[in-house]
């Protein structure tokens, strides 16, 4: 007998949300139709206009690095899906070069782990890594908090976001998460095609690419997020200079040796170079890796043990499909760009 | 003006009369006594460890106490909410804390965790004693450092003879949180007042179980970290 009551609440809440979305006042985490439930619990860190605005300021502010030269955006650029364009390994403070390629940042509310080895278990905690890494921002969390507490501008922004102007590590991390959570990409041509929007058809070439994708790639790069959030060894020959053992460095299990997190392929056209060490520049190089470059080893994924055979035309079609994952709304959304007061 | 004055008076009176505790409740003041070989620990001072004839000094000693509960006759009668306390040998005010809202009555045991449970470790950014700025957090392999013990010993053939134990890890099989139950005598909580309870941790026995020449650096979740967490848990007693 409780049902009618709940329904009413849901309807009221629904209307409420429509109004909010319509007026565009408070930011919300959009869950597109057909997508799974997000892993991030926004109830614990509700998105607010002031919280997201603060996170955006912090994301673009080099104050977070020890010599105020590097911001999050130095390595995560909007125009390239928040990846580090053209750099195989990310460049940090004093031009120091990190161990890994900076991945794109999008739809992270669905991610269950972060970094290429999955060593970070929660989105909130990710920023501590670049901030404190000697090769990246080379700062301490305590000092960041101190600098922010000394800034009247930030005291005001923290007050607006949290109702208290005292800056703490927790609030810095929560507001960065709020901004990063709004970096959502679900309006690629592929999405419009899936939603059957008028005029949003894919070409015959792209459709053929989609078919090939579902045959060979979809078990790991699973639609609609284009990742299954798992870890796999996709047969990359080991870079003996870096000796990056991936997931095993976190779990210490030999069975995880050379496994890396399956990355999303959304906006993949712009997030080059590719792989954890940025070894490939072009999508065609990646496809050629899957057809001709797979290196056998104890932990090589089962599915990749059978060779993938594709004609040159099929490879071109597959790449054409991957380009339909480019979301221009996302790449040019003014809400995500450098904040100008 | 008189109006204002009486308003202030009313407010002041009310504040004055607001009881610290709800009726039927009192509090317990928990003091953590940090020792080495029975003596109060002094950071940086050379201590003699007779078990291995080593001399050693302790420079950093910090750990979490969480999930505090009081029991009587085997029944949990009180569970502290949001129960996280970072104890730091360098900060004497971190070594004593008041646990509020304890129902009046007699208790015969205290239970608590040394460290933080797995849920805490996967819950994102937390505040207070769990704020990640406090240096008790691993960023690259996320999780709390449940206990940090650093110092020097002539037994360590490391740079500056340093040893570093950062005990953490919440994933099986190498969890490092340890649940303790210690019997207490005569813990009587009375309404509106605070009952003292003193718990001692003596690091002497911790070092008796380690050969510092071979085990002097533990910085990741591992089997050794889990063993050291067992040893650390055994250093706690109630006086």
């Amino acid at each position: 007998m409780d049902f009618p009551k709940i329904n009413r609440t849901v309807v009221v809440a629904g209307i409420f949300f429509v109004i909010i979305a319509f007026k565009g006042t408070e930011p919300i985490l959009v869950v597109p139709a057909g997508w799974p439930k997000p892993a991030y619990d926004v109830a614990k860190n509700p998105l607010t206009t002031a919280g997201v605005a603060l996170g955006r300021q912090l994301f673009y502010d080099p104050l977070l690095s020890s010599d105020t030269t590097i911001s999050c955006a130095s390595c995560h650029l909007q125009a390239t899906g928040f990846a580090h364009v053209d750099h195989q390994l990310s460049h940090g403070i004093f031009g120091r070069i990190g161990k890994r390629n900076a991945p794109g940042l999008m739809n992270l509310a669905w991610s269950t782990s972060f970094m290429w080895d999955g060593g970070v278990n929660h989105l909130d905690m990710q920023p501590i890594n670049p901030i404190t890494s000697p090769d990246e921002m080379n700062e301490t969390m305590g000092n960041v908090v101190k600098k922010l507490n000394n800034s009247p501008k930030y005291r005001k922004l923290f007050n607006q976001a949290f109702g208290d102007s005292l800056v703490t590590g927790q609030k810095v991390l929560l507001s960065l998460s709020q901004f990063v959570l709004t970096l959502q990409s679900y309006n690629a041509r592929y999405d419009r095609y899936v939603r059957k929007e008028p005029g949003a058809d894919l070409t015959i070439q792209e459709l053929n690419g989609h078919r090939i994708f579902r045959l060979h790639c979809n078990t790991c790069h699973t639609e609609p997020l284009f990742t299954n959030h798992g870890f796999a060894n996709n047969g990359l020959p080991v870079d003996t200079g870096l000796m990056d053992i991936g997931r095993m460095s976190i779990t210490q299990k030999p069975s995880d040796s050379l496994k890396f997190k399956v990355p999303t392929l959304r906006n993949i056209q712009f997030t080059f170079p590719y792989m954890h060490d940025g070894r490939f520049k072009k999508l065609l190089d990646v496809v050629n890796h899957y057809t001709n470059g797979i290196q056998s080893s104890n932990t090589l994924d089962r599915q990749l043990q059978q060779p993938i055979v594709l004609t040159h035309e099929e490879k071109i079609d597959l790449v054409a499909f991957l380009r339909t994952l480019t979301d221009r709304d996302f790449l040019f959304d003014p809400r995500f760009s450098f904040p100008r007061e | 003006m008189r109006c204002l004055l009486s308003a202030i008076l009313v407010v002041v009176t009310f504040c004055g009369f607001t009881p610290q505790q709800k009726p039927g409740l009192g509090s317990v003041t928990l003091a953590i006594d940090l020792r080495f070989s029975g003596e109060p620990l002094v950071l940086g001072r050379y201590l003699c460890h007779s078990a291995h004839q080593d001399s050693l000094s302790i420079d950093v000693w910090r750990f979490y106490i969480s999930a505090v509960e009081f029991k009587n006759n085997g029944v949990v009668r009180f569970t502290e909410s949001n129960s996280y306390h970072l104890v730091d040998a360098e900060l004497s005010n971190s070594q004593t804390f008041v646990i509020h809202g304890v129902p009046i009555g007699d208790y015969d045991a205290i239970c608590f965790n040394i460290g933080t449970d797995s849920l805490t470790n996967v819950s994102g950014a937390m505040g207070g004693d769990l704020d990640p700025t406090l240096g008790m957090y691993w960023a690259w392999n996320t999780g709390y450092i449940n206990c940090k013990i650093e110092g020097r010993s002539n037994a360590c053939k490391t740079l500056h003879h340093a040893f570093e134990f950062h005990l953490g890890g919440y994933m099986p099989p190498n969890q490092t949180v340890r649940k303790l139950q210690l019997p207490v005598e005569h813990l009587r909580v009375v309404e509106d007042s605070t009952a003292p309870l003193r718990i001692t941790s003596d690091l002497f026995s911790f070092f008796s179980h380690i050969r510092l020449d071979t085990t002097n650096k533990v910085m990741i979740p591992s089997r050794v970290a889990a063993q050291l967490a067992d040893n650390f848990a055994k250093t706690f007693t109630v006086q």
Side-chain angles (χ1 to χ4, degrees):
Chain A
M1 274 330 281
D2 265 351
F3 280 103
K5 219 199 235 154
I6 291 175
N7 273 343
R8 222 177 304 137
T9 328
V10 170
V11 169
V12 171
I15 293 170
F16 188 62
F17 269 114
V18 169
I19 291 170
I20 284 179
F22 180 70
K23 283 167 84 184
T25 46
E26 291 291 331
I28 51 164
L29 185 69
V30 180
V31 182
W35 285 33
K37 196 174 159 267
Y40 193 99
D41 184 1
V42 275
K44 284 199 187 145
N45 183 19
L47 306 190
T48 62
T49 307
V52 172
L54 169 59
R56 183 178 170 197
Q57 284 288 338
L58 292 170
F59 190 89
Y60 282 95
D61 199 335
L63 187 106
L64 266 53
S65 65
S66 66
D67 67 351
T68 44
T69 56
I70 308 271
S71 73
C72 307
S74 308
C75 297
H76 299 288
L77 285 85
Q78 177 176 19
T80 57
F82 292 96
H84 203 184
V85 71
D86 262 348
H87 287 115
Q88 295 184 358
L89 304 173
S90 63
H91 289 202
I93 197 151
F94 314 133
R96 284 184 197 157
I97 296 177
K99 278 199 334 247
R100 293 196 183 134
N101 175 22
L105 307 179
M106 65 203 82
N107 303 330
L108 290 176
W110 280 265
S111 292
T112 45
S113 68
F114 304 86
M115 311 254 277
W116 286 101
D117 55 21
V120 173
N121 66 23
H122 198 287
L123 179 62
D124 294 352
M125 298 329 217
Q126 170 66 35
I128 306 176
N129 285 282
I131 291 173
T132 58
S133 159
D135 290 337
E136 295 180 51
M137 299 165 103
N138 191 33
E139 190 42 295
T140 66
M141 283 299 292
N143 208 38
V144 166
V145 168
K146 207 164 113 195
K147 286 194 271 185
L148 293 171
N149 266 320
N150 286 338
S151 152
K153 168 185 140 185
Y154 274 110
R155 297 285 293 213
K156 195 168 137 214
L157 291 175
F158 275 87
N159 190 29
Q160 285 163 354
F162 296 102
D164 178 359
S165 68
L166 182 73
V167 183
T168 65
Q170 180 189 31
K171 289 181 202 162
V172 171
L173 297 176
L174 290 178
S175 58
L176 276 169
S177 278
Q178 287 197 30
F179 173 65
V180 171
L181 285 167
T182 65
L183 306 178
Q184 291 197 257
S185 176
Y186 52 87
N187 282 322
R189 275 187 56 227
Y190 159 85
D191 297 295
R192 298 186 200 279
Y193 156 75
V194 169
R195 292 197 293 260
K196 298 193 171 60
E197 288 180 15
D201 298 330
L202 298 188
T203 65
I204 293 177
Q205 186 187 36
E206 289 159 352
L207 287 170
N208 193 42
H210 192 196
R211 184 187 61 80
I212 297 165
F213 182 85
R214 289 207 159 155
L215 214 55
H216 296 295
C217 320
N218 200 48
T219 43
C220 294
H221 301 284
T222 315
E223 297 168 67
L225 287 145
F226 290 88
T227 167
N228 60 4
H229 298 117
F231 298 88
N233 172 350
N234 69 340
L236 296 171
V238 185
D239 182 322
T240 47
L242 292 167
M243 271 321 286
D244 193 340
I245 53 170
R247 183 70 181 151
M248 186 181 157
S249 59
I250 301 301
T251 63
Q252 322 285 327
K253 290 190 196 138
S255 58
D256 283 332
S257 171
L258 305 181
K259 289 187 183 174
F260 289 86
K261 200 171 60 182
V262 177
T264 181
L265 300 184
R266 286 182 170 271
N267 298 296
I268 194 72
Q269 183 184 355
F270 288 104
T271 60
F272 59 89
Y274 304 114
M275 305 300 172
H276 69 271
D277 53 7
R279 66 177 70 190
F280 299 128
K281 285 209 173 70
K282 299 204 172 93
L283 282 173
L284 200 56
D285 299 342
V286 173
V287 174
N288 282 328
H289 159 72
Y290 282 106
T291 56
N292 298 76
I294 298 284
Q295 172 108 11
S296 192
S297 67
N298 290 341
T299 55
L300 174 65
D301 194 89
R302 286 265 298 284
Q303 195 190 333
L304 295 172
Q305 288 176 9
Q306 281 80 280
I308 298 176
V309 181
L310 298 176
T311 66
H312 185 67
E313 284 68 32
E314 285 173 322
K315 290 180 186 174
I316 302 292
D317 293 358
L318 180 55
V319 169
F321 168 69
L322 293 176
R323 291 214 176 99
T324 69
L325 303 180
T326 297
D327 177 354
R328 290 183 190 276
D329 289 2
F330 170 70
L331 297 171
F332 297 103
D333 193 324
R335 291 175 303 171
F336 307 153
S337 63
F338 184 86
R340 288 166 216 285
E341 284 105 308
Chain B
M1 190 62 190
R2 264 188 48 197
C3 227
L4 189 69
L5 272 183
S6 41
I8 290 173
L9 199 72
V10 168
V11 170
V12 169
T13 322
F14 263 97
C15 292
F17 273 107
T18 308
Q20 285 296 81
Q21 303 277 357
K22 292 200 196 98
L25 302 179
S27 62
V28 175
T29 300
L30 203 59
I32 313 291
D33 211 353
L34 304 178
R35 290 180 176 256
F36 191 93
S37 195
E39 298 291 317
L41 182 96
V42 181
L43 289 178
R45 175 189 291 174
Y46 267 92
L47 310 157
C48 199
H49 196 276
S50 50
H52 300 305
Q53 312 293 320
D54 295 337
S55 78
L56 57 87
S57 72
I58 305 210
D59 301 327
V60 175
W61 182 15
R62 320 171 79 193
F63 58 91
Y64 280 108
I65 284 189
S66 68
V68 177
E69 290 176 344
F70 293 113
K71 277 188 175 179
N72 199 20
N73 286 326
V75 181
V76 177
R77 290 202 44 212
F78 171 78
T79 304
E80 190 186 20
S81 60
N82 198 17
S83 178
Y84 299 100
H85 308 277
L86 178 57
V87 179
D88 186 339
E90 206 166 336
L91 303 171
S92 56
N93 63 357
S94 75
Q95 296 156 23
T96 303
F97 41 87
V98 183
I99 296 171
H100 295 284
V102 185
I104 55 174
D106 291 330
Y107 295 89
D108 60 17
I110 179 173
C111 301
F112 56 91
N113 284 343
I114 303 166
T116 54
D117 66 3
S118 62
L119 184 65
T120 310
N121 278 271
V122 297
S123 296
M126 319 265 272
D129 277 3
L130 293 173
D131 196 293
T133 49
L134 295 171
M136 294 295 278
Y137 200 81
W138 276 317
W140 60 277
N141 184 356
T142 42
Y144 283 94
I145 298 168
N146 286 327
C147 172
K148 250 189 198 183
I149 299 172
E150 297 174 8
R152 288 153 213 270
S153 167
N154 56 355
C156 302
K157 294 183 181 48
T158 53
L159 188 65
H160 306 310
H161 302 289
F163 59 81
E164 282 173 292
F165 300 115
H166 292 186
L167 311 181
Y170 63 92
M171 277 190 278
N174 295 325
Q175 302 97 319
T176 49
V177 64
R178 293 291 176 272
K179 192 176 171 73
L180 272 193
Q181 172 166 333
L182 299 173
V184 297
E185 273 171 45
H186 315 304
L187 178 63
R188 170 164 293 176
V189 176
V190 182
E191 190 165 306
D192 272 356
S193 81
T194 187
L197 180 60
R198 187 166 279 273
I199 289 177
T200 301
S201 172
D202 191 321
L203 274 188
F204 186 84
S205 70
F206 179 82
F207 284 98
S208 310
H209 290 94
I210 317 176
R211 297 295 313 244
L212 282 173
D213 49 346
T214 49
T215 306
N216 45 44
K217 194 166 174 139
V218 176
M219 308 287 277
I220 56 170
S222 59
R223 233 181 60 209
V224 184
Q227 280 160 4
L228 294 184
D230 286 337
N231 295 350
F232 183 53
K234 290 188 192 123
T235 67
F236 287 83
T237 49
V238 168
Q239 285 165 342

